[in-house]
Amino acid sequence: MALSNVLQTPAAGFNFDNAARNTALEGLFDGGETPKPLKTGTTIAGVVFKDGVVLGADTRATSSEVVADKMCAKIHYISPNIYCCGAGTAADTEKTTELLSSNLTIFSLNSGRNPRVVMAVNILQDMLYRYHGQIGANLILGGVDCTGNHLYTVGPYGSVNKVPYLSMGSGDLAALAILEDGFKPNLELETAKELVRASIHAGIMSDLGSGNNIDICVITREGVDYIRPYQESEFKDNRKMKYKYRPGSTPVLTEKVVPLKLEVVLETVQQMDTA
Amino acid sequence: MFDSVPVAGMCPQGAYGVQDSLRSGFTSVKNELLPSHPLELSEKNFQLNQDKMNFSTLRNIQGLHAPLKLQMEYRAARQIQRLPFLQSSHLALDTLRGSDEAIGFEDILSDPAQSETMGEPHMMVEYKLGLL
């Protein structure tokens, strides 16, 4: 039905209509709380080694005190030579990295080249600064391009850092301790993988928000090796039996069918006069 | 209507700046002074601000004529659209701006082609022409 108070089509993009209602609702709950968005409460880490970049992440997604997802994928694909780990609000990291990946794909189709890591970083920085930190995405971008191996971090307000090794998320202090201890420039592949695994493991052991399995992603000039899971948690529980019951295993005692009669009460046709 | 960035983004809509109670409901000083979300104002004016910044940089680098010519083309491209209640593709404007090769939140969220509310065609045209 045509509304007479809509004078312009609503603008595309974010819609702030409910913001006033939400602030009013927050005061009404009497100590209760509005539902919190799903955060990843993560440990993510990255290391630049001799031939490329190794990224690692845990796989737990938490929603306040409950583990919401035990096998969450935190290493996102950006382009064939760039991958991104995301910490912060799960939906924000997911959508932001998808947008970034789409934009870089359009660029590669236009120019016929693989994108460079600095391009991804600049696009992210512009996008996150525009929203002044309301998009809660802490990202570690790692990739190999024609200028070398790069590892960058982008914060939710748009801050950028270029570093040889890095960790982010709620378990970042524990992971960083291991990285600080074991990092040397120009590591070999196996040493680098072991270093990242150990740092994520430290994050998992010391932080409540990180846990379950460890994913590793190795990016080199030759290609990408996304190992998921690289190490499974030793506390994984196995289901003791099958809990799916085949149809018909519950006996039907009685059956009563009541047809729902609907009758047309009132019918109006409103014509739109666009002559 | 498109040329200047409104300073008080929450100006009432009626004639002479007085609130049009029939169409927009009762007034509230708080609603008009503060946007309810910190991003609301900056997002509403974002495209306009970007354009102003780009044009002013271009003027400083290449002189007055460059932004002048570009703004002429923008004005011409902006006029290629359907009546306000129908969906226009803004193809020429997008190509000029370079946003036909970029994807942002405005392409995924709240797509106006799929909005749940529809405006009354006559009123929307009158509003656009400034006759309301």
Side-chain angles (χ1 to χ4, degrees):
Chain A
M1 199 181 86
L3 292 179
S4 49
N5 60 342
V6 174
L7 292 174
Q8 281 173 309
T9 36
F14 287 109
N15 190 336
F16 298 104
D17 286 348
N18 284 336
R21 176 203 74 169
N22 290 346
T23 40
L25 275 179
E26 259 175 47
L28 286 180
F29 270 128
D30 256 4
E33 281 183 8
T34 47
K36 293 250 176 306
L38 174 66
K39 295 189 92 127
T40 47
T42 307
T43 308
I44 48 179
V47 159
V48 174
F49 71 103
K50 192 172 73 172
D51 305 316
V53 177
V54 179
L55 297 171
D58 72 308
T59 57
R60 173 180 290 183
T62 50
S63 168
S64 312
E65 298 87 37
V66 179
V67 174
D69 192 348
K70 293 196 272 273
M71 261 306 257
C72 156
K74 298 185 190 175
I75 307 186
H76 309 282
Y77 165 86
I78 304 279
S79 79
N81 58 331
I82 305 175
Y83 273 70
C84 172
C85 304
T89 311
D92 289 346
T93 57
E94 186 74 41
K95 265 290 168 275
T96 318
T97 45
E98 274 179 12
L99 272 181
L100 178 64
S101 170
S102 305
N103 276 321
L104 287 179
T105 315
I106 295 180
F107 165 79
S108 326
L109 289 170
N110 258 338
S111 63
R113 296 181 163 90
N114 262 344
R116 300 194 189 179
V117 189
V118 274
M119 295 167 52
V121 172
N122 281 332
I123 295 177
L124 266 183
Q125 187 177 27
D126 287 340
M127 197 192 301
L128 291 175
Y129 181 69
R130 171 177 170 176
Y131 295 104
H132 295 285
Q134 299 284 337
I135 295 189
N138 288 298
L139 303 164
I140 294 187
L141 270 139
V144 177
D145 57 31
C146 55
T147 51
N149 317 324
H150 305 284
L151 187 67
Y152 285 89
T153 170
V154 185
Y157 284 84
S159 54
V160 168
N161 238 333
K162 179 172 181 355
V163 275
Y165 62 91
L166 180 59
S167 79
M168 297 282 269
S170 52
D172 63 347
L173 292 175
L176 203 55
I178 304 284
L179 286 175
E180 293 271 4
D181 191 37
F183 179 80
K184 291 184 230 329
N186 290 329
L187 284 168
E188 291 297 327
L189 172 62
E190 288 307 318
T191 331
K193 268 168 46 175
E194 175 52 32
L195 182 63
V196 172
R197 187 212 63 79
S199 69
I200 304 284
H201 190 71
I204 288 175
M205 286 293 134
S206 320
D207 176 43
L208 289 177
S210 318
N212 302 91
N213 309 331
I214 301 180
D215 291 346
I216 295 259
C217 181
V218 181
I219 311 171
T220 54
R221 186 173 288 270
E222 285 81 45
V224 172
D225 193 14
Y226 189 167
I227 313 166
R228 171 174 159 83
Y230 183 70
Q231 179 190 318
E232 291 205 330
S233 153
E234 54 262 23
F235 301 105
K236 198 166 131 117
D237 50 354
N238 293 316
R239 296 265 160 87
K240 303 280 187 305
M241 53 186 264
K242 280 195 186 319
Y243 293 105
K244 268 189 156 33
Y245 296 99
R246 53 172 184 78
S249 46
T250 314
V252 177
L253 297 178
T254 52
E255 189 178 310
K256 177 175 167 195
V257 175
V258 177
L260 187 65
K261 278 198 286 280
L262 294 171
E263 41 178 278
V264 178
V265 174
L266 176 65
E267 184 178 316
T268 55
V269 174
Q270 188 187 44
Q271 279 195 336
M272 192 169 85
D273 180 19
T274 53
Chain B
M1 198 165 41
F2 298 95
D3 293 342
S4 53
V5 177
V7 170
M10 310 275 125
C11 260
Q13 273 175 5
Y16 309 112
V18 176
Q19 177 76 345
D20 196 355
S21 299
L22 182 66
R23 292 206 182 86
S24 342
F26 291 115
T27 60
S28 152
V29 176
K30 192 169 79 149
N31 279 347
E32 279 162 41
L33 281 181
L34 300 165
S36 40
H37 194 274
L39 279 184
E40 195 172 348
L41 216 48
S42 86
E43 275 300 295
K44 203 148 78 137
N45 299 327
F46 183 75
Q47 196 54 54
L48 227 48
N49 280 332
Q50 279 285 87
D51 286 347
K52 276 183 137 201
M53 191 177 74
N54 289 337
F55 281 134
S56 118
T57 315
L58 196 57
R59 179 189 178 156
N60 288 333
I61 298 176
Q62 295 189 4
L64 181 59
H65 222 75
L68 218 53
K69 274 202 158 148
L70 275 179
Q71 277 189 317
M72 216 170 67
E73 290 180 25
Y74 271 66
R75 241 174 234 249
R78 205 177 284 137
Q79 290 177 0
I80 310 172
Q81 52 177 294
R82 297 206 171 104
L83 288 174
F85 52 92
L86 293 171
Q87 276 312 300
S88 356
S89 68
H90 299 290
L91 191 57
L93 196 56
D94 275 351
T95 314
L96 269 180
R97 276 212 185 102
S99 53
D100 62 336
E101 291 176 346
I103 298 183
F105 286 112
E106 56 273 358
D107 296 304
I108 341 176
L109 300 173
S110 293
D111 190 8
Q114 293 167 5
S115 87
E116 300 140 355
T117 57
M118 188 182 105
E120 247 243 50
H122 294 290
M123 294 190 48
M124 292 179 85
V125 176
E126 283 176 20
Y127 179 75
K128 175 146 191 244
L129 293 174
L131 298 172
L132 199 57

